[in-house]
Amino acid sequence: MLGINDPGIYLGYLFSILGLIACIVYGILNWNKGRETDIEEIQKDLEWESKDELTKGEI
Amino acid sequence: MNTFVLGLVVVIYLLAIAFLGYRGYKQTKSAKDYLLAGRDIHPFVMAMSYGATFISTSAIIGFGGIAGVYGMGLIWLTALNIIVGVFIAFIFFGRVTRKMGHNLDAHTFPEFLGNRFQSKKIQIISGAVIFISMPLYAAVVLIGGARFIESIFEIDFSLALTFFSIIIAAYVIAGGLKGVMYTDALQGSIMFLSLFFLLIVTYVKLGGVSAAHEALTNMVNLVPESLTSKGHEGWTVFPKMNSAWWWALTTNIILGVGIGVLAQPQLVVRFMTVKSNRELNRAVLIGGIFIFVATGFVFTVGALTNLYFYNESGQLAIQVAKGNVDLIIPEYISAAMPEWFVYLFMLALLSAGMSTLSSQFHTMGTSLGRDFIENVFPNKKIDSMMISKIGIIVAILISIIIGYKLPGSIIARGTAIFFGICAATFLPVYFGALYWKRVTKTAALWSILTGLIASVFSLGFMHVKESEPLGICQAIFGKPTLASEFPWMIVDPILIAMPISIVVLIVVSLATQKTSDEHLAACYKGIK
């Protein structure tokens, strides 16, 4: 295959390319999925902000 | 090479780094910003930062050179890096880590483990393990970068080391993780472009993909006797089963580095820098492409350098490099590539070193400050950001001292030592924290400790590549390794230490009291 005869090598390339395709397909299919809408998560973020206020002023 | 042009290119590059570091500094207002980049990092920046941190100069020069000697078998490392290091890491580890880390108010990897198992001891020990073992890994990259600057600019090594350390220290200390990740994104982009171009030009020069591979396959009779005895059967053939090189490739490089990536604290923390799983989903696509090019392309070019050099001078790559594996890729770049590309490649190597180092310094600093000191002195009101900054300065100084004082033979094994310790110490417990509710606090602690002890023992007394330069086994037992039978002296420590750590985690978990349902509910809130 493309000048490489050893399956030990071309399977390595094949798995690399399949892994790459899997990453691309997954990324495209889920491009807009998983956005955080959980109100509690946003609440938690605000809590963090207020806790972090304590450590401000040191930069 | 024109020194003026090189100087100009580097100055422009450093100005861009300074600008991004300053941007990170201006946007850093709180501990969340400093330790977790504000949790609102763009997926492109996250993915490039993950990749650029993962791929250091030694991955390009070192592994590229190894491919130059042993051939394309290293492509399996690329396959594992994409499948395990990106696909599995982001989707199965990253998404849960992000959500759980948020539920647990975790700002660092040790804090994540400590809060998950309600144990300050786990946080302190994990922070200490990282702070103690990581400087050796950082020293490898630091010394490599300084040597590179020394040779390119023809300046004194100490000056190169000081210059290199101060630049990185400036933007890591001032800009925190935002400064680190913004600069990583630029550095990752430079690495991506140069390696992409490198492979394309190589194939063009060698007459196309199939023609180049066929010609390299036909060079099988030129493999030196010293390499055939180790299992080398050609540059387009996987090493002979059960040979020394087969064991080294399958266990050390492919499994050690390929699996070890899952438990790297400086990479895990990046999952917690994004706002939602949507960003991680997008980062999978970008990270996958980056790793494919950054590793697969250079490994392929590494093997093909033999064909180029043989066509040009009748010599193999390792002969042109005068036996120094690390010189194969640089020799090839200067011989085969156009001059402007040589400058770009210099920047790519500088970028690879700086992006890895900046993350190492940041992780070591936060491990010492946030995870260790803040918890060892719980009654003192300590500012997280300030103590992390002090931690970073201490980490940089220790890395420099290690680089200066320890023999080169030990420094050269720094990456393997760190990866080995991290995988055995953290991977079982990290996986358990995410996916097995039955894991208990006691089991997590014992798994960490046994993984640590087993990996240190394996590195110090079994695996000859580390035990010999470390010299402890020689001093106590009068021989470089306690492993007398093949292949135990060359089997990666991860394969010995990690199973022990897994068994301890399971057995102790089943024998100790379950974690409370309330705490588990808090950990897994919103995780499907």
Side-chain angles (χ1 to χ4, degrees):
Chain A
M1 192 184 286
L2 291 172
I4 299 170
N5 305 321
D6 181 26
I9 301 295
Y10 66 66
L11 283 177
Y13 276 99
L14 189 68
F15 278 110
S16 301
I17 292 165
L18 287 177
L20 173 70
I21 293 169
C23 287
I24 293 172
V25 169
Y26 181 88
I28 291 171
L29 291 179
N30 294 285
W31 192 257
N32 281 317
K33 289 182 189 162
R35 195 171 175 185
E36 206 55 73
T37 49
D38 185 354
I39 202 83
E40 282 184 35
E41 173 127 358
I42 298 162
Q43 198 76 43
K44 191 112 188 167
D45 251 347
L46 293 172
E47 259 174 50
W48 274 39
E49 295 291 345
S50 60
K51 262 195 229 167
D52 278 350
E53 288 290 323
L54 298 171
T55 58
K56 269 190 182 178
E58 291 297 337
I59 335 158
Chain B
M1 200 166 14
N2 186 321
T3 317
F4 175 75
V5 177
L6 180 67
L8 193 68
V9 169
V10 172
V11 167
I12 294 169
Y13 169 75
L14 291 180
L15 284 175
I17 296 292
F19 169 73
L20 293 169
Y22 178 74
R23 227 187 123 188
Y25 166 71
K26 288 303 279 181
Q27 292 177 1
T28 298
K29 307 279 182 217
S30 64
K32 187 176 80 169
D33 291 333
Y34 199 79
L35 302 171
L36 281 182
R39 283 192 77 244
D40 59 356
I41 281 291
H42 190 278
F44 174 78
V45 176
M46 188 271 169
M48 294 305 267
S49 173
Y50 184 95
T53 300
F54 185 10
I55 308 299
S56 67
T57 320
S58 68
I60 298 173
I61 295 289
F63 285 140
I66 291 176
V69 178
Y70 289 101
M72 292 178 170
L74 271 183
I75 197 64
W76 281 96
L77 182 56
T78 300
L80 273 177
N81 281 340
I82 297 173
I83 297 167
V84 180
V86 178
F87 196 81
I88 292 177
F90 279 50
I91 298 170
F92 297 102
F93 284 70
R95 290 159 58 99
V96 185
T97 304
R98 189 201 69 77
K99 185 71 181 171
M100 196 181 281
H102 197 230
N103 290 344
L104 295 168
D105 270 2
H107 291 70
T108 62
F109 178 60
E111 192 174 15
F112 175 87
L113 293 179
N115 291 359
R116 166 68 179 81
F117 295 109
Q118 298 172 291
S119 164
K120 289 290 173 201
K121 232 184 257 175
I122 288 180
Q123 186 179 354
I124 293 169
I125 292 171
S126 305
V129 170
I130 294 166
F131 186 75
I132 292 168
S133 58
M134 208 178 202
L136 196 53
Y137 175 32
V140 179
V141 189
L142 190 61
I143 300 302
R147 288 269 176 233
F148 176 65
I149 295 170
E150 178 195 25
S151 66
I152 296 299
F153 291 97
E154 293 171 4
I155 57 171
D156 177 61
F157 175 70
S158 304
L159 187 67
L161 190 62
T162 313
F163 174 74
F164 195 45
S165 311
I166 288 176
I167 288 177
I168 301 168
Y171 70 81
V172 178
I173 293 169
L177 196 55
K178 283 196 178 196
V180 169
M181 292 183 79
Y182 292 160
T183 50
D184 280 357
L186 171 72
Q187 291 159 340
S189 305
I190 295 172
M191 290 158 66
F192 181 88
L193 287 176
S194 359
L195 294 168
F196 190 85
F197 181 83
L198 180 64
L199 183 71
I200 303 299
V201 174
T202 299
Y203 277 133
V204 170
K205 275 189 178 289
L206 298 175
V209 178
S210 295
H213 293 168
E214 265 165 34
L216 188 63
T217 303
N218 294 336
M219 285 173 65
V220 59
N221 297 328
L222 300 169
V223 178
E225 171 64 33
S226 58
L227 294 178
T228 48
S229 63
K230 286 184 185 168
H232 196 318
E233 296 189 317
W235 289 276
T236 58
V237 180
F238 203 75
K240 191 177 177 188
M241 177 89 103
N242 207 25
S243 64
W245 174 234
W246 185 88
W247 277 101
L249 186 68
T250 50
T251 74
N252 297 5
I253 297 173
I254 296 176
L255 290 176
V257 183
I259 304 289
V261 65
L262 288 172
Q264 297 284 301
Q266 74 280 20
L267 298 180
V268 172
V269 80
R270 273 157 176 72
F271 298 138
M272 300 195 277
T273 62
V274 291
K275 210 169 191 59
S276 71
N277 284 348
R278 183 183 68 167
E279 280 69 29
L280 281 179
N281 292 340
R282 294 178 178 186
V284 170
L285 184 149
I286 303 159
I289 297 173
F290 178 86
I291 295 293
F292 181 75
V293 170
T295 63
F297 280 27
V298 78
F299 298 161
T300 307
V301 169
L304 290 169
T305 56
N306 288 292
L307 179 61
Y308 175 82
F309 285 126
Y310 190 72
N311 288 347
E312 296 296 313
S313 63
Q315 286 184 302
L316 298 175
I318 191 69
Q319 292 164 335
V320 174
K322 299 188 174 64
N324 186 346
V325 177
D326 289 342
L327 283 181
I328 291 178
I329 296 291
E331 287 285 354
Y332 174 71
I333 302 288
S334 48
M337 294 290 135
E339 193 178 329
W340 66 265
F341 181 77
V342 179
Y343 298 118
L344 182 67
F345 199 75
M346 298 290 163
L347 288 189
L349 293 183
L350 210 53
S351 295
M354 287 173 82
S355 53
T356 304
L357 267 176
S358 58
S359 306
Q360 290 169 329
F361 288 156
H362 187 269
T363 304
M364 288 189 284
T366 56
S367 295
L368 178 67
R370 173 93 183 178
D371 300 315
F372 190 81
I373 293 178
E374 271 190 50
N375 290 299
V376 170
F377 305 103
N379 298 325
K380 295 228 168 22
K381 200 168 184 303
I382 299 171
D383 180 284
S384 277
M385 215 168 1
M386 185 49 72
I387 197 68
S388 296
K389 287 180 184 182
I390 295 169
I392 291 169
I393 296 170
V394 175
I396 294 174
L397 291 175
I398 292 177
S399 305
I400 293 174
I401 293 167
I402 285 180
Y404 263 122
K405 294 286 176 197
L406 284 187
S409 55
I410 296 179
I411 300 281
R413 304 304 304 161
T415 308
I417 291 174
F418 179 72
F419 270 59
I421 289 176
C422 263
T425 309
F426 298 127
L427 189 52
V429 79
Y430 175 43
F431 182 79
L434 300 178
Y435 284 108
W436 197 34
K437 291 182 180 174
R438 188 65 183 83
V439 179
T440 65
K441 183 202 292 193
T442 317
L445 186 61
W446 279 105
S447 169
I448 288 174
L449 290 174
T450 44
L452 176 65
I453 293 165
S455 57
V456 168
F457 176 80
S458 188
L459 289 160
F461 296 93
M462 304 269 289
H463 196 236
V464 73
K465 273 192 173 170
E466 285 83 32
S467 66
E468 195 166 21
L470 286 170
I472 308 165
C473 192
Q474 184 72 41
I476 299 174
F477 299 104
K479 48 187 176 182
T481 171
L482 293 180
S484 50
E485 278 180 37
F486 181 83
W488 293 107
M489 67 289 279
I490 54 168
V491 170
D492 194 275
I494 290 177
L495 285 190
I496 298 167
M498 206 165 71
I500 297 175
S501 177
I502 293 171
V503 169
V504 169
L505 187 76
I506 296 170
V507 171
V508 180
S509 286
L510 295 175
T512 48
Q513 203 176 1
K514 282 181 182 173
T515 311
S516 75
D517 289 340
E518 295 78 45
H519 179 65
L520 286 175
C523 293
Y524 286 91
K525 196 172 187 176
I527 297 170
K528 290 151 203 158

Short mmCIF file of all heavy atoms in Angstrom, two decimals, chain B residues 21-61:
data_model
loop_
_atom_site.label_atom_id
_atom_site.label_comp_id
_atom_site.label_asym_id
_atom_site.label_seq_id
_atom_site.Cartn_x
_atom_site.Cartn_y
_atom_site.Cartn_z
N GLY B 21 1.49 37.57 26.12
CA GLY B 21 1.70 37.47 27.56
C GLY B 21 1.07 38.66 28.27
O GLY B 21 0.42 38.52 29.31
N TYR B 22 1.22 39.84 27.68
CA TYR B 22 0.65 41.06 28.26
C TYR B 22 -0.89 40.98 28.25
O TYR B 22 -1.54 41.37 29.21
CB TYR B 22 1.14 42.28 27.46
CG TYR B 22 0.56 43.59 27.97
CD1 TYR B 22 1.02 44.15 29.16
CD2 TYR B 22 -0.44 44.26 27.26
CE1 TYR B 22 0.48 45.34 29.64
CE2 TYR B 22 -0.98 45.45 27.72
CZ TYR B 22 -0.51 45.99 28.90
OH TYR B 22 -1.05 47.16 29.38
N ARG B 23 -1.42 40.43 27.17
CA ARG B 23 -2.88 40.26 27.09
C ARG B 23 -3.39 39.35 28.21
O ARG B 23 -4.39 39.62 28.85
CB ARG B 23 -3.23 39.63 25.74
CG ARG B 23 -4.36 40.35 25.06
CD ARG B 23 -4.81 39.65 23.82
NE ARG B 23 -6.23 39.38 23.97
CZ ARG B 23 -6.92 38.65 23.13
NH1 ARG B 23 -6.33 38.09 22.10
NH2 ARG B 23 -8.19 38.44 23.31
N GLY B 24 -2.63 38.27 28.43
CA GLY B 24 -2.98 37.38 29.53
C GLY B 24 -2.92 38.10 30.86
O GLY B 24 -3.82 37.97 31.70
N TYR B 25 -1.90 38.92 31.04
CA TYR B 25 -1.71 39.67 32.28
C TYR B 25 -2.88 40.65 32.52
O TYR B 25 -3.44 40.72 33.61
CB TYR B 25 -0.38 40.42 32.19
CG TYR B 25 -0.19 41.51 33.24
CD1 TYR B 25 0.01 41.17 34.58
CD2 TYR B 25 -0.22 42.85 32.88
CE1 TYR B 25 0.18 42.17 35.53
CE2 TYR B 25 -0.05 43.85 33.82
CZ TYR B 25 0.14 43.50 35.15
OH TYR B 25 0.30 44.48 36.08
N LYS B 26 -3.27 41.35 31.46
CA LYS B 26 -4.34 42.34 31.60
C LYS B 26 -5.68 41.67 31.91
O LYS B 26 -6.54 42.26 32.55
CB LYS B 26 -4.49 43.17 30.29
CG LYS B 26 -3.37 44.16 30.05
CD LYS B 26 -3.18 45.14 31.17
CE LYS B 26 -4.16 46.31 31.15
NZ LYS B 26 -3.88 47.24 32.28
N GLN B 27 -5.84 40.45 31.42
CA GLN B 27 -7.13 39.79 31.61
C GLN B 27 -7.16 38.93 32.88
O GLN B 27 -8.15 38.25 33.14
CB GLN B 27 -7.44 38.90 30.40
CG GLN B 27 -7.72 39.70 29.15
CD GLN B 27 -7.94 38.80 27.94
OE1 GLN B 27 -7.92 37.59 28.04
NE2 GLN B 27 -8.14 39.42 26.79
N THR B 28 -6.08 38.92 33.62
CA THR B 28 -6.03 38.09 34.82
C THR B 28 -6.35 38.92 36.06
O THR B 28 -5.58 39.78 36.44
CB THR B 28 -4.63 37.42 34.95
OG1 THR B 28 -4.44 36.59 33.81
CG2 THR B 28 -4.54 36.57 36.20
N LYS B 29 -7.52 38.64 36.63
CA LYS B 29 -7.97 39.43 37.77
C LYS B 29 -8.16 38.59 39.03
O LYS B 29 -8.31 39.12 40.11
CB LYS B 29 -9.33 40.09 37.44
CG LYS B 29 -9.35 40.90 36.16
CD LYS B 29 -8.76 42.27 36.38
CE LYS B 29 -8.82 43.10 35.10
NZ LYS B 29 -7.64 43.94 34.94
N SER B 30 -8.23 37.28 38.86
CA SER B 30 -8.56 36.45 40.03
C SER B 30 -7.79 35.14 39.97
O SER B 30 -7.13 34.83 38.97
CB SER B 30 -10.05 36.13 40.02
OG SER B 30 -10.34 35.36 38.87
N ALA B 31 -7.91 34.35 41.07
CA ALA B 31 -7.24 33.04 41.10
C ALA B 31 -7.79 32.15 39.99
O ALA B 31 -7.05 31.37 39.40
CB ALA B 31 -7.47 32.39 42.46
N LYS B 32 -9.08 32.28 39.69
CA LYS B 32 -9.67 31.46 38.63
C LYS B 32 -9.01 31.80 37.28
O LYS B 32 -8.73 30.93 36.47
CB LYS B 32 -11.18 31.72 38.54
CG LYS B 32 -11.90 30.78 37.58
CD LYS B 32 -13.39 30.97 37.57
CE LYS B 32 -13.77 32.16 36.72
NZ LYS B 32 -15.23 32.24 36.47
N ASP B 33 -8.74 33.08 37.08
CA ASP B 33 -8.05 33.49 35.84
C ASP B 33 -6.63 32.95 35.83
O ASP B 33 -6.14 32.44 34.83
CB ASP B 33 -7.98 35.03 35.76
CG ASP B 33 -9.34 35.65 35.54
OD1 ASP B 33 -10.20 34.97 34.97
OD2 ASP B 33 -9.53 36.81 35.95
N TYR B 34 -5.96 33.10 36.96
CA TYR B 34 -4.54 32.74 37.02
C TYR B 34 -4.32 31.22 36.92
O TYR B 34 -3.38 30.76 36.28
CB TYR B 34 -3.92 33.25 38.33
CG TYR B 34 -2.42 33.32 38.28
CD1 TYR B 34 -1.78 34.38 37.64
CD2 TYR B 34 -1.64 32.31 38.83
CE1 TYR B 34 -0.40 34.43 37.55
CE2 TYR B 34 -0.25 32.36 38.74
CZ TYR B 34 0.35 33.42 38.11
OH TYR B 34 1.73 33.47 38.02
N LEU B 35 -5.22 30.45 37.56
CA LEU B 35 -5.02 29.00 37.60
C LEU B 35 -5.78 28.25 36.51
O LEU B 35 -5.36 27.18 36.07
CB LEU B 35 -5.46 28.45 38.97
CG LEU B 35 -4.74 29.04 40.18
CD1 LEU B 35 -5.42 28.58 41.47
CD2 LEU B 35 -3.29 28.65 40.20
N LEU B 36 -6.92 28.81 36.08
CA LEU B 36 -7.75 28.09 35.10
C LEU B 36 -8.10 28.95 33.88
O LEU B 36 -9.05 28.65 33.17
CB LEU B 36 -9.06 27.63 35.78
CG LEU B 36 -8.98 26.39 36.65
CD1 LEU B 36 -10.34 26.05 37.20
CD2 LEU B 36 -8.42 25.19 35.89
N ALA B 37 -7.34 29.98 33.66
CA ALA B 37 -7.54 30.86 32.50
C ALA B 37 -8.98 31.37 32.43
O ALA B 37 -9.54 31.52 31.34
CB ALA B 37 -7.13 30.15 31.21
N GLY B 38 -9.59 31.60 33.60
CA GLY B 38 -10.92 32.18 33.66
C GLY B 38 -12.05 31.23 33.26
O GLY B 38 -13.21 31.61 33.25
N ARG B 39 -11.71 30.02 32.92
CA ARG B 39 -12.69 29.02 32.45
C ARG B 39 -13.48 29.48 31.23
O ARG B 39 -14.64 29.09 31.05
CB ARG B 39 -13.68 28.65 33.58
CG ARG B 39 -13.13 27.70 34.61
CD ARG B 39 -14.20 27.15 35.52
NE ARG B 39 -14.98 26.11 34.86
CZ ARG B 39 -16.27 26.21 34.60
NH1 ARG B 39 -16.94 27.29 34.87
NH2 ARG B 39 -16.91 25.22 34.03
N ASP B 40 -12.90 30.33 30.42
CA ASP B 40 -13.64 30.71 29.21
C ASP B 40 -12.72 30.77 27.99
O ASP B 40 -12.82 31.63 27.15
CB ASP B 40 -14.36 32.06 29.42
CG ASP B 40 -13.39 33.18 29.75
OD1 ASP B 40 -12.18 32.89 29.89
OD2 ASP B 40 -13.83 34.33 29.87
N ILE B 41 -11.83 29.78 27.92
CA ILE B 41 -10.86 29.73 26.82
C ILE B 41 -11.54 29.25 25.53
O ILE B 41 -12.39 28.36 25.55
CB ILE B 41 -9.68 28.81 27.22
CG1 ILE B 41 -8.72 29.56 28.15
CG2 ILE B 41 -8.94 28.25 26.04
CD1 ILE B 41 -7.92 30.68 27.52
N HIS B 42 -11.15 29.85 24.43
CA HIS B 42 -11.68 29.48 23.11
C HIS B 42 -11.19 28.07 22.75
O HIS B 42 -10.06 27.71 23.05
CB HIS B 42 -11.17 30.50 22.09
CG HIS B 42 -11.81 30.38 20.74
ND1 HIS B 42 -11.38 29.46 19.82
CD2 HIS B 42 -12.84 31.04 20.18
CE1 HIS B 42 -12.12 29.57 18.72
NE2 HIS B 42 -13.02 30.53 18.92
N PRO B 43 -12.06 27.26 22.08
CA PRO B 43 -11.65 25.89 21.76
C PRO B 43 -10.37 25.80 20.92
O PRO B 43 -9.57 24.87 21.09
CB PRO B 43 -12.84 25.32 20.99
CG PRO B 43 -13.77 26.45 20.74
CD PRO B 43 -13.46 27.50 21.74
N PHE B 44 -10.17 26.77 20.01
CA PHE B 44 -8.94 26.72 19.21
C PHE B 44 -7.73 26.90 20.11
O PHE B 44 -6.75 26.14 20.01
CB PHE B 44 -8.97 27.84 18.14
CG PHE B 44 -7.68 27.95 17.36
CD1 PHE B 44 -7.39 27.05 16.36
CD2 PHE B 44 -6.74 28.93 17.67
CE1 PHE B 44 -6.19 27.13 15.65
CE2 PHE B 44 -5.54 29.02 16.98
CZ PHE B 44 -5.27 28.12 15.96
N VAL B 45 -7.81 27.86 21.01
CA VAL B 45 -6.68 28.11 21.93
C VAL B 45 -6.47 26.90 22.83
O VAL B 45 -5.33 26.46 23.06
CB VAL B 45 -6.95 29.38 22.78
CG1 VAL B 45 -5.83 29.59 23.80
CG2 VAL B 45 -7.09 30.59 21.89
N MET B 46 -7.57 26.32 23.31
CA MET B 46 -7.45 25.16 24.19
C MET B 46 -6.77 23.99 23.47
O MET B 46 -5.85 23.37 23.97
CB MET B 46 -8.86 24.76 24.67
CG MET B 46 -8.87 23.70 25.74
SD MET B 46 -8.91 22.08 24.99
CE MET B 46 -8.59 21.03 26.36
N ALA B 47 -7.26 23.69 22.25
CA ALA B 47 -6.72 22.55 21.50
C ALA B 47 -5.25 22.76 21.12
O ALA B 47 -4.42 21.86 21.27
CB ALA B 47 -7.55 22.31 20.24
N MET B 48 -4.92 23.96 20.66
CA MET B 48 -3.53 24.22 20.27
C MET B 48 -2.62 24.22 21.49
O MET B 48 -1.48 23.76 21.43
CB MET B 48 -3.43 25.57 19.55
CG MET B 48 -4.14 25.62 18.23
SD MET B 48 -3.62 24.32 17.09
CE MET B 48 -2.36 25.14 16.19
N SER B 49 -3.14 24.74 22.60
CA SER B 49 -2.33 24.76 23.81
C SER B 49 -2.07 23.34 24.31
O SER B 49 -0.97 23.00 24.73
CB SER B 49 -3.07 25.58 24.88
OG SER B 49 -2.40 25.47 26.10
N TYR B 50 -3.10 22.51 24.26
CA TYR B 50 -2.96 21.11 24.65
C TYR B 50 -1.89 20.43 23.78
O TYR B 50 -0.98 19.78 24.27
CB TYR B 50 -4.31 20.42 24.50
CG TYR B 50 -4.38 18.98 24.94
CD1 TYR B 50 -4.81 18.64 26.22
CD2 TYR B 50 -4.03 17.95 24.06
CE1 TYR B 50 -4.89 17.31 26.62
CE2 TYR B 50 -4.10 16.62 24.46
CZ TYR B 50 -4.53 16.30 25.73
OH TYR B 50 -4.61 14.98 26.12
N GLY B 51 -2.03 20.63 22.47
CA GLY B 51 -1.10 20.00 21.54
C GLY B 51 0.32 20.52 21.68
O GLY B 51 1.28 19.75 21.73
N ALA B 52 0.45 21.85 21.77
CA ALA B 52 1.79 22.44 21.84
C ALA B 52 2.49 22.08 23.15
O ALA B 52 3.71 21.92 23.20
CB ALA B 52 1.70 23.95 21.68
N THR B 53 1.69 21.95 24.22
CA THR B 53 2.28 21.54 25.51
C THR B 53 2.75 20.10 25.43
O THR B 53 3.82 19.74 25.91
CB THR B 53 1.21 21.68 26.63
OG1 THR B 53 0.81 23.03 26.68
CG2 THR B 53 1.75 21.24 27.97
N PHE B 54 1.94 19.28 24.80
CA PHE B 54 2.20 17.86 24.65
C PHE B 54 3.46 17.61 23.80
O PHE B 54 4.33 16.81 24.14
CB PHE B 54 0.96 17.28 23.97
CG PHE B 54 0.90 15.80 23.81
CD1 PHE B 54 1.80 14.97 24.42
CD2 PHE B 54 -0.11 15.23 23.04
CE1 PHE B 54 1.72 13.61 24.26
CE2 PHE B 54 -0.21 13.88 22.88
CZ PHE B 54 0.71 13.07 23.48
N ILE B 55 3.57 18.34 22.71
CA ILE B 55 4.68 18.12 21.77
C ILE B 55 5.81 19.09 22.10
O ILE B 55 5.71 20.29 21.85
CB ILE B 55 4.23 18.33 20.31
CG1 ILE B 55 2.98 17.50 19.99
CG2 ILE B 55 5.37 18.03 19.33
CD1 ILE B 55 3.14 16.02 20.12
N SER B 56 6.89 18.56 22.65
CA SER B 56 8.03 19.42 22.97
C SER B 56 9.08 19.31 21.86
O SER B 56 8.91 18.55 20.91
CB SER B 56 8.64 19.01 24.31
OG SER B 56 9.20 17.73 24.17
N THR B 57 10.15 20.09 22.02
CA THR B 57 11.21 20.03 21.03
C THR B 57 11.74 18.60 20.88
O THR B 57 12.03 18.15 19.78
CB THR B 57 12.38 20.95 21.45
OG1 THR B 57 11.83 22.13 22.00
CG2 THR B 57 13.29 21.28 20.31
N SER B 58 11.81 17.90 22.03
CA SER B 58 12.39 16.56 21.96
C SER B 58 11.47 15.61 21.19
O SER B 58 11.94 14.63 20.60
CB SER B 58 12.70 16.01 23.35
OG SER B 58 11.52 15.77 24.04
N ALA B 59 10.16 15.89 21.18
CA ALA B 59 9.26 15.04 20.39
C ALA B 59 9.55 15.20 18.90
O ALA B 59 9.49 14.24 18.14
CB ALA B 59 7.81 15.40 20.68
N ILE B 60 9.88 16.42 18.51
CA ILE B 60 10.15 16.67 17.09
C ILE B 60 11.56 16.20 16.72
O ILE B 60 11.74 15.38 15.81
CB ILE B 60 9.98 18.18 16.77
CG1 ILE B 60 8.53 18.61 17.04
CG2 ILE B 60 10.38 18.49 15.33
CD1 ILE B 60 8.29 20.09 16.92
N ILE B 61 12.53 16.73 17.44
CA ILE B 61 13.93 16.40 17.12
C ILE B 61 14.28 14.98 17.55
O ILE B 61 14.87 14.21 16.79
CB ILE B 61 14.87 17.40 17.85
CG1 ILE B 61 14.66 18.81 17.31
CG2 ILE B 61 16.32 16.99 17.74
CD1 ILE B 61 15.17 19.02 15.92
#
